[in-house]
């Protein structure tokens, strides 16, 4: 069948009904001026087009069986509107920061058809318009110039299908140098610009003529493979695995990869290779230690060496900031404590208290209901009774708030405690330590390698550090498994594991079943008042049932608020009962569209005032001390004129987001279990379906259940639940911290000759 001929259509972009930010595919409605409110549906490559713009589109006419006649766009150019009405619509669309519908109306009434020329050539004249002072006038002129520059970059990037938001970010990073960087050093983008991975940079590089076998391409691919493995939690990759991954990714000869790895290992900010132990061959005196070559990105290698060194330094410090506890009469001290709290500590809790106050570094671990919280409170009570300066911290705002409520002492997030600055450096470090005698960090299973290193650096010599967490939960979102490494055989860090479940906790189905799951035993589902299973084999039906449980059943039976008190935790993001689909359904149920409710579409998502959202990357530039991956908040305002929405985070901080930064936010009505670490919710709803089969693991389900304070509802398949309870997580992360702590590997890097 002959293909439809190319045609040209002009019109004003009225609204975008769908946009895929990754590939730029857009479905939109365009006013072609036919009148009677008749809008044309256009689909295709409308990357970067903004509502209100006049477009000249080249493409082909066609028909959709459901939506009727439509125009498929192959490319387009922006045409400045030629009528006063068009100019008003264009300016009022939010395209230019500082001009919303009200000011667009005033400006066009004053300047008429001359409006766009005035903004372009004589922006100082905008002051003639009522309500536009010098400050706003300058802001509008600057925004107009920036918009023009971004447009130029976007037109250049259109040929390689780079999304609007990424084009904006490229411009913000490089300014006027954007096009030259993209043309001449495209692989820089993967390292410098969040949201551009190697694959996008590689596509751009190919389009600007960089050869497939270029050494720069291969080196960038190696670094990408390592950064991908860091995103999966690894601090390094064994050299053989890295080479194999890179060959697959790059589709080049192994020899090229080996050569590029050798070059990278010689570069200051390249990679570091070091031999690490993998086990022993033989026994006794004949035993031979086996090693493999570990390849690190530089920041992870530095952090691992630094963290091991700082922990050893604290452990060996001669000074002691809690000297009273070296000679204390423990029987008397614990008796005083029991009188103060009204409860006697169990023997293993007493051991943990003694350890925390007499050892410079200690770890306290254990599951729910075993008295970790009360033990921490006891440590803090005794330390403060001796006038010790106590600092409490946790990785998330929710966990810090809970720690504060428990102890009566103010607690903060680790990021705020260290006063992280733009760029990620901390105000407190080895040269300027915290003023503390005792530092207690809760939810320590969440501490990744980089954050743990920053924290331990800031603990002064002689101070005591107590890390508290449940080592059976999922490890940190970031690279490393610090808590597990500190508890590994041969670690010099003393630790206590609480195992006894207290009587009142035994009455809780949540606690009982968490321990059953952790030991590989199916949870009890009969006769529980706080732990339920709603069986549903079909994953799509399970997704719909999850929404009903959250929005209707739990509020009706338990009086809980579905937005504030109930959290859906899913094994994965994708799939019919994954966080992605459920967020859309839950938003419709909990925060539906209303004429009086401001909203902003971004890509395929709509943000509304009242939405529960989460930050999905570490951003050291936002907020007082950065906003971090996993921070949760609520959208409190949305300003179309300033193109900005504001989120109030769990730490009660108001954080503004420009509309072009909205890809840093995701909805959080449902979130993956990994993202929920360190948080606690009154009620947790967990879809457990066969569509998430590969992700169903014991520590994943255990982590989800232990996030609940009062109520757990499982929705889904008994078969999937059985799979999750039976399946032990496959393998450890690649980390070297345990070897460094046990003294089995030194600090220096070796550069063995490659095969």
């Amino acid at each position: 069948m002959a293909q439809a001929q190319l045609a040209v259509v002009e019109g004003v972009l009225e609204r975008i009904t769908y946009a895929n930010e990754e590939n730029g595919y857009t479905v939109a409605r365009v006013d072609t001026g036919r009148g009677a409110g008749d809008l044309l549906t256009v689909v295709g490559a409308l990357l970067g087009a903004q509502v209100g713009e006049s477009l000249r589109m080249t493409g082909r006419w066609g028909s959709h069986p459901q939506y009727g006649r439509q125009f498929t766009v192959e490319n387009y150019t922006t045409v400045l509107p030629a009528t006063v009405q068009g100019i008003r619509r264009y300016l009022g669309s939010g395209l230019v920061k500082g001009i919303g519908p009200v000011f667009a109306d005033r400006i066009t009434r004053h300047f008429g058809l001359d409006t766009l020329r005035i903004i372009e050539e004589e922006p100082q004249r905008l002051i003639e318009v009522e309500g536009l002072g010098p400050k706003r006038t300058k802001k509008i002129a600057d925004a107009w110039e920036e918009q023009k520059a971004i447009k130029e970059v976007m037109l250049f990037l259109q040929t390689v299908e780079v999304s609007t938001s990424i084009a904006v970010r490229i411009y913000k990073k490089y300014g006027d140098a954007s096009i030259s960087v993209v043309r001449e050093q495209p692989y820089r983008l993967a390292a410098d610009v969040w949201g551009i991975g190697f694959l996008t940079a590689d596509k751009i590089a190919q389009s600007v003529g960089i050869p497939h076998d270029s050494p720069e391409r291969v080196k960038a691919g190696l670094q990408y493979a390592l950064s991908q493995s860091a995103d999966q939690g690894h601090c390094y990759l064994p050299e053989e695995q890295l080479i194999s991954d890179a060959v697959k990714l790059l589709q080049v000869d192994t020899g090229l990869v080996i050569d590029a790895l050798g070059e990278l290992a010689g570069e200051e900010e390249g990679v570091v290779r070091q031999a690490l132990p993998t086990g022993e061959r033989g026994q006794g005196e004949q035993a031979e230690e086996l090693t493999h070559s570990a390849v690190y990105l530089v920041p992870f290698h530095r952090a691992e060496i630094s963290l091991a060194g700082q922990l050893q330094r604290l452990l060996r410090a001669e000074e002691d900031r809690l000297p009273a506890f070296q000679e204390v009469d423990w029987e008397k001290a614990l008796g005083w404590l029991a009188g103060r709290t009204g409860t006697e500590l169990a023997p293993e809790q007493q051991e943990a208290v003694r350890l925390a106050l007499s050892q410079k570094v200690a770890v306290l671990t254990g599951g729910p209901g075993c008295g970790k919280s009360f033990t921490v409170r006891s440590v803090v009570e005794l330390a403060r009774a001796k006038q010790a300066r106590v600092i409490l911290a946790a990785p998330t705002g929710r966990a810090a708030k809970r720690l504060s409520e428990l102890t009566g002492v103010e607690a903060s997030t680790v990021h705020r405690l260290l006063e992280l600055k733009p760029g990620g450096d901390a105000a407190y470090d080895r040269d300027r330590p915290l003023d503390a005698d005792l530092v207690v960090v809760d939810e320590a299973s969440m501490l990744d390698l980089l954050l743990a290193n920053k924290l331990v650096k800031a603990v002064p010599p002689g101070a005591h550090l107590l890390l508290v967490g449940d080592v059976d939960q999922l490890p940190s979102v970031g690279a490393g498994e610090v808590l597990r490494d500190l508890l590994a055989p041969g670690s010099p860090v003393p630790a206590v594991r609480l195992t006894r479940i207290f009587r009142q906790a035994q009455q809780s189905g949540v606690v009982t079943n968490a321990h059953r799951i952790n030991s590989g035993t199916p949870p009890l589902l009969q006769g529980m008042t706080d732990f339920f299973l709603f069986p549903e084999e079909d994953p799509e039906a399970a997704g719909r049932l999850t929404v009903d449980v959250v929005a209707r059943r739990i509020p009706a039976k338990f009086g809980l608020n579905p937005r504030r008190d109930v959290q859906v935790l899913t094994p994965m993001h994708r799939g019919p009962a994954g966080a992605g689909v459920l967020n859309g359904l839950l938003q419709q149920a909990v925060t539906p569209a209303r004429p009086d409710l401001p909203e902003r579409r971004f890509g395929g998502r709509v943000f509304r005032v009242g939405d529960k959202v989460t930050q999905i990357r570490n951003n050291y530039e936002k907020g007082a001390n950065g906003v971090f991956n996993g921070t949760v908040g609520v959208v409190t305002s949305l300003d179309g004129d300033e193109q900005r929405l504001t989120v109030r985070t769990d730490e009660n901080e108001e954080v503004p987001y420009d509309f072009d930064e909205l890809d840093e936010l995701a909805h959080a009505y449902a979130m993956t279990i990994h993202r929920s670490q360190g948080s606690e919710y009154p009620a947790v709803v967990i879809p457990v379906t066969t569509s998430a089969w590969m992700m169903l693991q014991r520590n994943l389900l255990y982590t989800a259940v232990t996030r609940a304070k009062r109520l757990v509802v499982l929705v889904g398949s008994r078969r999937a639940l059985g799979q999750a309870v039976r399946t032990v997580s496959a393998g450890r992360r690649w980390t070297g911290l345990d070897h460094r702590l046990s003294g089995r590997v030194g600090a220096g890097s070796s550069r063995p000759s490659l095969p």
Side-chain angles (χ1 to χ4, degrees), residues 12-14 50-54 81 83-109 115-116 119 136 140 144 599-600 639-643 659:
V12 176
L13 184 59
E14 286 292 322
Q50 305 278 351
V51 170
E53 286 184 321
S54 294
T83 66
V84 171
Q85 184 184 354
I87 293 168
R88 184 183 302 126
R89 179 86 177 82
Y90 177 67
L91 289 178
S93 66
L95 183 71
V96 182
K97 201 178 275 191
I99 304 181
V102 173
F103 279 116
D105 186 51
R106 286 187 199 169
I107 293 168
T108 49
R109 278 178 190 280
T115 296
L116 297 181
I119 296 174
R136 191 183 279 263
I140 290 169
W144 181 265
E599 63 176 46
R600 171 71 183 190
D639 185 332
D641 285 8
E642 293 301 317
Q643 295 181 60
F659 286 166

Side-chain angles (χ1 to χ4, degrees), residues 276-282 287-292 734 739 744:
L276 290 183
T278 56
E280 289 187 344
R281 184 164 43 207
E288 176 195 357
E289 186 158 74
L290 301 174
T291 63
H292 64 189
W734 293 114
H739 302 310
R744 293 175 68 202

Side-chain angles (χ1 to χ4, degrees), residues 331-347 349-350 353 370-371 373-375 377-379 381-382 406 500 502-504:
E331 200 171 319
K332 195 174 167 187
L334 293 169
W336 173 87
L337 186 66
R340 187 161 171 85
T341 60
T343 309
E344 282 204 19
L345 292 169
Q349 289 178 303
Q350 292 180 15
V353 169
C370 291
S373 297
F374 190 71
T375 306
R377 183 182 153 193
S378 302
V379 169
E381 288 271 5
L382 279 170
L406 167 77
R500 175 187 155 196
F502 286 89
R503 194 180 304 122
Q504 71 256 36

Side-chain angles (χ1 to χ4, degrees), residues 296-464:
Y296 287 83
L297 288 171
V298 172
F300 294 104
H301 187 254
R302 283 181 185 151
E304 209 173 76
I305 290 170
S306 168
L307 178 55
Q310 300 293 345
L311 286 166
Q312 299 278 14
R313 173 181 67 92
L314 290 178
L315 285 163
R316 290 196 295 256
E318 288 180 16
E319 183 189 346
D320 192 342
R321 286 175 167 241
L322 295 177
F325 293 102
Q326 297 304 330
E327 307 295 331
V328 76
D329 180 336
W330 281 106
E331 200 171 319
K332 195 174 167 187
L334 293 169
W336 173 87
L337 186 66
R340 187 161 171 85
T341 60
T343 309
E344 282 204 19
L345 292 169
E348 56 187 16
Q349 289 178 303
Q350 292 180 15
E351 186 193 346
V353 169
R354 281 197 291 267
L355 201 65
L357 295 171
S358 60
Q359 299 286 333
K360 307 288 175 47
V361 184
V363 172
L364 171 61
T365 189
C370 291
K372 281 198 310 291
S373 297
F374 190 71
T375 306
V376 170
R377 183 182 153 193
S378 302
V379 169
V380 172
E381 288 271 5
L382 279 170
R384 295 188 81 207
K386 297 291 186 185
Q387 277 70 54
R389 282 162 296 189
V390 179
I391 284 181
L392 304 179
T396 67
R398 277 178 184 246
K401 191 176 174 192
R402 192 172 69 239
L403 186 59
S404 190
E405 288 165 357
L406 167 77
T407 58
V409 178
E410 190 183 344
S412 70
T413 62
V414 176
H415 307 102
R416 203 173 284 269
L417 171 68
L418 300 177
E419 292 181 15
L420 294 187
K421 297 175 287 194
D425 290 331
Y428 292 94
D429 56 21
R430 190 166 177 175
D431 297 328
R432 187 199 174 199
L434 296 162
D435 182 17
D437 303 318
L438 170 66
V439 178
V440 179
V441 183
D442 198 7
E443 294 288 356
S445 61
M446 283 190 72
L447 286 176
D448 62 45
L449 173 66
L450 299 181
L451 185 58
N453 179 44
K454 286 184 170 79
L455 170 70
V456 175
K457 261 189 204 171
V459 178
H464 291 224

